[in-house]
Amino acid sequence: MARRVLLTGMSGTGKSSVIKQLAALGYRAVDFDEPGWSEYDPEGEWIWCEDRVQELLASLKDDEALFVSGCAINQGKFYGQFDAVILLSAPADVIVERLKTRTNNPYGKHPEELAATLENLATVEPLLRDGADYEIVTTLRLDEVVVEVIKVLEALP
């Protein structure tokens, strides 16, 4: 049976790093925060490109596993198509340090973006937590986080 796992969380929690590591290990893994998978809507909200996301989720063969990562205002529309939703979380001070020092994505470097991330940590993350099946705190080493994510996949029916 096809198994679909969503990794979600605030900026700086390690979604992109985890999804890249899963891909390097040979898993089918897609970062929905990459161009072409998400965009800003006319109101300036970050949304998943619904047609493209739906096409990917529907394309899995019976024996395939798929990991996707991302966080967008419309992701809840797809929760019913995932076998597991994993919230990646981290304390605010860890997120701030990661955003200041990361090199793979410029988001969070400007004071307004950092303030928005911290505001989302207080207001959006609790909503993500309510919709998640699992939570992994990403203060662990990257390889340890990846092992925990794979354990969730392996525990699925």
Side-chain angles (χ1 to χ4, degrees), residues 29-51:
V30 179
D31 187 344
F32 282 174
D33 287 335
E34 290 291 320
W37 291 104
S38 295
E39 62 190 5
Y40 288 101
D41 71 6
E43 290 80 41
E45 296 287 348
W46 187 247
I47 60 168
W48 287 351
C49 299
E50 294 184 12
D51 290 346

Side-chain angles (χ1 to χ4, degrees), residues 88-141:
L88 300 181
S89 66
D93 60 328
V94 171
I95 289 173
V96 169
E97 183 61 25
R98 287 178 179 169
L99 292 177
K100 286 182 179 179
T101 60
R102 72 180 176 181
T103 58
N104 65 329
N105 180 340
Y107 185 83
K109 303 245 185 242
H110 297 285
E112 303 83 22
E113 294 170 343
L114 184 57
T117 297
L118 294 174
E119 173 69 19
N120 289 339
L121 190 61
T123 60
V124 176
E125 187 179 70
L127 301 173
L128 295 176
R129 186 170 284 114
D130 287 345
D133 302 304
Y134 304 90
E135 181 173 357
I136 300 172
V137 179
T138 61
T139 52
L140 301 169
R141 290 188 334 255

